[in-house]
Amino acid sequence: MIEWIALPVLAKVLLISSLVLIGSLGGWLAAQSPDDLAREINTELRAAQNLMFSGKIDEAAAKVAHIEELMGQLQSAEPDGPKLKTLQPKLDKLKKDLERRQPKPAAASAPSAPAPATGGGAAIPAGASRCLREMDRALEKADRALTRASGSPESKTEQARYEMKTAEMYWQDLQKKYPDTLRHPDVLAARQRVEDMYARIETAEGTAAAAGARVAEADAARNAQSQEWLTRMKPFVAHRGEDLYDPAKEFIAGYTEQKDELDQRMRLYAEAYSLMAEYRKADFSAGTSDELEQVARELDYRLESFQGELQSMSEMYFREIDDELNRNADFFERNKSREKPLLLDEGVLSRLAAKIAWVDGLRPGDERLPGIQSRYQGLLDAQSATRARMVESTRVLPEKYSGSDIGTLRDKARTVVQAKQGGAEILRVSVISPDWQEERALEFTDTTRSAIRYRITRSVTVQVAAKQGGDCYLYSVYVGQDRRSDGSWGPLKGHIMFTDRILEGNVNK
């Protein structure tokens, strides 16, 4: 019969491993994931250590056999995985500790002697007690590291593991100098506290790793969204030499007397204003990058600065409009006493209308606008009343335009009148503007006033004499076109501005 107490520990482990393997093929060969295997191995390692510290060497050896079987399964499932590299040193250390704790075979010539009592509540040496106190002190520091309010999860677990090095140092000292105390209840309890702390640290590390993965995923989503917006917004504020710098997109927030440069800034202002309105409505649930926030602040500042300069310009227009309204009202007042009344030049009225539209776009809702628009309508009414008084002297003005596209402009004016006055007979058409008149306007493109555009339009005035039934009328027609972003001009558009009675006999005079 084999004497168990005389077998070296490795022989015992192999024999027990064989017995366990034969009896447990059905259960332990079931497929498990690497994570499940690693957790079960960790659990079994702690259980084997507890058995060893309690003096149950044979039961601990049986656990080791089972752990080796699980390690084999883990190696098959994940040969080069980090879990195997972490767990193997723990298993090797446990086997060495078991080997040291195995009873030595008694000499054949010497009688067996009873082992000295080391369990129970007997006092342990002062040096051993000191080791236990230092271990507990290190455990307290590790606990404080894990539970402190400040610091990242990673820094907490790193500090806790650093403190555990001190606990392990005193444990090694205890094993080396006081081996007879290792089965003492106080020592076993101390070692259990060490293992419990390791378990807490491992749990905290797992939680930190999961949280870190979630944070990394959120950061990736945030950075991707932020980069998309940076690509759209940064060219407006980037300086020469910086990433995403584009000279055609750089928005300079200042007024200039140079016409082409001011046009460029106005277009960029309208584009950037609409982009910022879109940015403010975007969903940034994952947050925004620091760079994007800085770019948004800079673009906001430039928009506000430029808007301030535009408001200063609008004040100048308000003053000019007020002066022109007063001057033209005085003209009609003096006109009342004339036997042959005079009309305001149509260009005066159209330029005044353009200025009013300009300040309406720059200062929507300004309390002065209703009064200005009412006074302008008064001028139009006075102009119409004057025309009615001078019907006998009303004539088609002579043609002043000499451009090669004059035929196209006449055709557009005819189309406008015929579309408005179906069946009208066109008698005469005259382009009375000497050249195109350009108009620039900053205006909203939607009812919410969240998007604006900078518009450049050119126009001429065309007079169309037409007969409707037994009456003749003289129509002053606006014909214009908008400039496209590439600098070309869009299709012609038009509308009737004024309608006057004219005698048929005066049409060709």
Side-chain angles (χ1 to χ4, degrees), residues 21-84:
L21 182 61
I22 293 171
S24 307
L25 281 175
W28 291 108
L29 291 180
Q32 297 185 73
S33 70
D35 289 339
D36 292 339
L37 285 168
R39 281 192 291 271
E40 185 173 354
I41 291 169
N42 263 320
T43 301
E44 292 295 282
L45 281 169
R46 286 193 292 271
Q49 287 171 338
N50 291 338
L51 290 170
M52 179 184 69
F53 294 142
S54 301
K56 299 176 181 179
I57 305 302
D58 292 346
E59 294 179 35
K63 284 283 185 187
V64 168
H66 177 48
I67 293 169
E68 288 185 321
E69 179 188 353
L70 294 174
M71 290 286 284
Q73 294 180 34
L74 180 59
Q75 186 172 16
S76 298
E78 199 176 52
D80 298 321
K83 303 178 184 64
L84 192 65

Side-chain angles (χ1 to χ4, degrees), residues 129 232 377 499:
S129 295
R232 299 176 64 188
Q377 184 60 47
T499 302

Side-chain angles (χ1 to χ4, degrees), residues 155-401:
S155 67
K156 294 178 183 181
T157 54
E158 287 176 6
Q159 183 63 31
R161 285 206 177 273
Y162 176 80
E163 302 298 345
M164 291 303 292
K165 291 180 180 179
T166 301
E168 284 295 342
M169 181 185 71
Y170 280 102
W171 173 251
Q172 295 294 333
D173 199 34
L174 182 69
Q175 287 181 307
K176 180 179 179 180
K177 296 179 180 178
Y178 309 101
D180 292 340
T181 66
L182 296 181
R183 296 186 185 182
H184 192 281
D186 293 348
V187 176
L188 294 173
R191 187 61 206 181
Q192 185 59 51
R193 291 194 294 275
V194 169
E195 297 304 322
D196 290 344
M197 179 55 69
Y198 278 130
R200 285 180 60 194
I201 294 173
E202 289 176 3
T203 299
E205 287 172 337
T207 302
R214 290 192 297 272
V215 170
E217 184 178 354
D219 286 347
R222 178 197 66 201
N223 291 336
Q225 187 181 23
S226 294
Q227 186 58 46
E228 176 187 349
W229 278 95
L230 273 173
T231 302
R232 299 176 64 188
M233 295 172 63
K234 191 172 179 179
F236 288 100
V237 300
H239 299 289
R240 187 180 302 276
E242 291 185 343
D243 183 39
L244 296 176
Y245 171 74
D246 182 354
K249 282 280 191 178
E250 184 181 8
F251 174 48
I252 300 174
Y255 177 73
T256 176
E257 294 291 340
Q258 298 179 9
K259 178 182 173 182
D260 292 342
E261 179 61 27
L262 183 60
D263 285 346
Q264 171 73 353
R265 295 180 190 182
M266 294 289 274
R267 282 193 293 270
L268 291 175
Y269 172 78
E271 186 178 344
Y273 182 97
S274 301
L275 181 60
M276 282 301 297
E278 183 183 350
Y279 169 77
R280 292 187 184 97
K281 295 177 182 177
D283 178 18
F284 288 98
S285 54
T288 53
S289 68
D290 292 342
E291 185 180 7
L292 178 58
E293 291 178 0
Q294 181 178 351
V295 166
R297 286 193 297 269
E298 174 63 21
L299 187 52
D300 249 343
Y301 173 76
R302 293 196 186 188
L303 289 172
E304 289 177 5
S305 299
F306 193 64
Q307 188 174 16
E309 296 215 11
L310 293 182
Q311 287 177 344
S312 297
M313 292 169 59
S314 70
E315 289 299 326
M316 179 186 69
Y317 277 111
F318 271 122
R319 290 191 295 272
E320 291 181 359
I321 289 169
D322 184 64
D323 290 343
E324 290 184 29
L325 286 171
N326 290 334
R327 184 167 56 252
N328 293 327
D330 290 343
F331 169 84
F332 281 118
E333 186 64 30
R334 293 192 304 272
N335 216 18
K336 291 179 182 179
S337 60
R338 291 191 178 99
E339 182 178 348
K340 291 185 177 181
L342 300 175
L343 289 173
L344 271 177
D345 184 270
E346 298 297 342
V348 171
L349 291 173
S350 62
R351 287 191 294 273
L352 185 54
K355 288 184 179 181
I356 294 173
W358 174 266
V359 294
D360 187 29
L362 290 178
R363 303 288 288 273
D366 191 286
E367 60 183 8
R368 292 168 288 184
L369 285 170
I372 286 175
Q373 290 161 347
S374 176
R375 291 165 66 190
Y376 178 72
Q377 184 60 47
L379 292 182
L380 297 181
D381 293 342
Q383 183 87 327
S384 297
T386 302
R387 282 195 178 92
R389 288 173 55 198
M390 54 186 301
V391 62
E392 290 187 1
S393 61
T394 298
R395 303 286 190 275
V396 179
L397 295 177
E399 198 159 54
K400 297 181 180 179
Y401 189 82

